[in-house]
Amino acid sequence: MKHNYPKVTIIGAGNVGATTAYTLMLLGVAREIAIVDSNVQKASGESLDLNHGISFVNPTSIYQADYKDGCQNADVIVITAGAAQKEGETRLDLIKTNTKIFKSIISEIVKYAKKEAILLVVTNPVDVLTYVTYKLSGFPSNQVIGSGTVLDTSRLRFLISQHFQGINAKNIHAYIIGEHGDTEFPVWSNAQIGGVTLEKYLKSCSNKNSKPYKEIETELKSIHEDVKNSAYKIIAAKGSTYYAIALSICSIIKAIVRNEQTIMPVSTFIDDYYGVKDIYLSLPSLVGQNGVEYFLRLDLSPEEQKLFKKSAQTVKKIIEENRQ
Ligand code: NAD
């Protein structure tokens, strides 16, 4: 960033928004956190609660704000406002309600945001709403980002780590790409542990899991299913998900405000990749102070190419239906 006092504005003080503010405060990522919500009382209550813990962390100014005070001079504006998935609902079921909410929110944001601000969309269905934000805001595509499959990728790494006797998840380079939703998939062809492919890793490690790659394909499929169904499982158990998504959001914000140039699978604008274009989907992307610098053009296997196209078709269909 061009200054040392990052300001982050969170639109939506619900479970995800409030937990994001708390996580930002704990990690010392932002110097200023503005919280905006149509429910002013909720945003004020969350700000007050967080402020009462300020003496234990780095100085951070946290306050409830309207769009004007909230968005002015913000480096990153995170949108978590809108309806959340309920038990039995898919992310795509939320589209009508949340597009309507986004129309009012984005018009307010663009009135006050500086032209270099990064807009980070978290509300579901995130790929569709990031595209909506890009179109409504008129901001360059690199400055409009969706949280995408950053969370799903973290879930994948956690599950692979568990599968391989708790190997540090940081040593696992494997990505979930495509839609943040039911058509998402892991790129097994590019997955690596400690710099070697999964296949080589299985051959070279001498633990009880050192089976041939072919034999663990069923296990890998079940890991994929577990990742895909994680949110459903958590929502059924406790109503909503917020801790891991808040950490995912903070890692994206940190990459932006510290200009880290970190590679993460955010939802990014796809100009042309395997024939897929004019859409937001997740691919490993370089994230820094300008938002997404570029995405990595992974070599996908023929099967993975099909899955990516299917994911794109699903999201495109919703965008088209939503236009009417
Ligand atoms: P929540 O119901 O707890 O909070 C939503 C908040 O939005 C509420 O405080 C509400 O007052 C506010 N809001 C509604 N309309 C508004 C408007 N017009 N202007 C300003 N504020 C408004 O929901 P949550 O659990 O915090 O989830 C928020 C969103 O994040 C949902 O869409 C959910 O599906 C999504 N989510 C995404 C991911 C991801 O990986 N992308 C993960 C978890 C949740």
Side-chain angles (χ1 to χ4, degrees):
M1 238 11 14
K2 289 151 196 104
H3 60 84
N4 293 323
Y5 305 101
K7 172 175 174 181
V8 176
T9 299
I10 301 173
I11 318 283
N15 290 318
V16 175
T19 315
T20 298
Y22 181 58
T23 313
L24 282 171
M25 169 182 151
L26 288 185
L27 299 179
V29 172
R31 180 64 183 81
E32 197 174 333
I33 304 171
I35 306 179
V36 179
D37 198 296
S38 50
N39 183 343
V40 172
Q41 202 182 339
K42 174 84 163 82
S44 304
E46 296 295 359
S47 307
L48 196 58
D49 196 3
L50 292 165
N51 273 309
H52 291 167
I54 281 299
S55 67
F56 304 109
V57 296
N58 289 330
T60 313
S61 163
I62 305 175
Y63 54 93
Q64 176 275 324
D66 57 17
Y67 280 96
K68 183 167 184 283
D69 291 341
C71 296
Q72 266 177 358
N73 295 319
D75 298 298
V76 184
I77 299 173
V78 190
I79 311 172
T80 69
Q85 254 176 294
K86 294 185 194 69
E87 202 175 342
E89 274 185 332
T90 70
R91 295 175 178 97
L92 295 175
D93 289 332
L94 306 170
I95 189 63
K96 290 240 173 318
T97 319
N98 286 346
T99 303
K100 206 164 148 206
I101 291 175
F102 265 53
K103 282 187 178 153
S104 66
I105 290 178
I106 305 301
S107 65
E108 286 300 306
I109 291 176
V110 295
K111 267 191 222 164
Y112 306 110
K114 60 182 180 185
K115 67 177 190 340
E116 311 82 42
I118 308 294
L119 310 184
L120 174 57
V121 179
V122 181
T123 308
N124 277 316
V126 68
D127 304 292
V128 180
L129 290 173
T130 310
Y131 184 83
V132 167
T133 302
Y134 165 56
K135 289 289 173 189
L136 292 176
S137 67
F139 272 46
S141 59
N142 60 297
Q143 287 175 232
V144 183
I145 306 175
S147 55
T149 56
V150 173
L151 169 60
D152 317 68
T153 293
S154 175
R155 286 172 174 154
L156 176 73
R157 292 176 183 191
F158 163 70
L159 290 170
I160 296 177
S161 142
Q162 286 216 313
H163 192 78
F164 293 104
Q165 287 76 45
I167 190 165
N168 191 333
K170 286 185 178 154
N171 294 139
I172 298 164
H173 288 269
Y175 291 99
I176 294 278
I177 65 165
E179 175 207 6
H180 168 63
D182 296 342
T183 64
E184 68 185 28
F185 64 96
V187 190
W188 293 125
S189 66
N190 281 249
Q192 295 192 343
I193 296 182
V196 296
T197 61
L198 266 189
E199 195 163 357
K200 274 210 178 127
Y201 181 83
L202 287 164
K203 269 189 205 141
S204 60
C205 75
S206 58
N207 59 38
K208 68 178 168 67
N209 262 315
S210 54
K211 301 178 198 163
Y213 188 71
K214 270 263 155 239
E215 281 180 32
I216 69 148
E217 275 180 347
T218 330
E219 293 160 37
L220 297 184
K221 270 195 190 126
S222 113
I223 289 180
H224 174 194
E225 285 304 308
D226 278 359
V227 171
K228 213 169 59 183
N229 296 325
S230 296
Y232 293 120
K233 203 166 156 185
I234 298 168
I235 289 166
K238 62 170 212 168
S240 58
T241 72
Y242 38 89
Y243 295 123
I245 180 62
L247 280 161
S248 309
I249 298 167
C250 288
S251 74
I252 302 170
I253 296 173
K254 189 160 72 68
I256 297 166
V257 300
R258 296 190 187 161
N259 194 20
E260 282 180 354
Q261 314 282 310
T262 301
I263 292 172
M264 40 180 64
V266 291
S267 187
T268 188
F269 186 73
I270 312 286
D271 49 358
D272 194 356
Y273 176 64
Y274 287 114
V276 169
K277 47 181 89 161
D278 191 30
I279 195 168
Y280 270 83
L281 286 174
S282 288
L283 280 171
S285 306
L286 195 85
V287 181
Q289 66 179 357
N290 301 319
V292 167
E293 302 285 349
Y294 54 81
F295 64 83
L296 303 188
R297 291 174 186 272
L298 302 177
D299 288 327
L300 300 181
S301 70
E303 182 55 27
E304 289 163 351
Q305 289 176 36
K306 270 193 219 152
L307 291 172
F308 190 73
K309 286 175 188 167
K310 190 177 160 211
S311 217
Q313 279 160 4
T314 306
V315 172
K316 274 243 158 146
K317 189 163 171 271
I318 301 292
I319 291 172
E320 289 310 322
E321 285 169 3
N322 204 36
R323 271 205 182 109
Q324 289 143 23

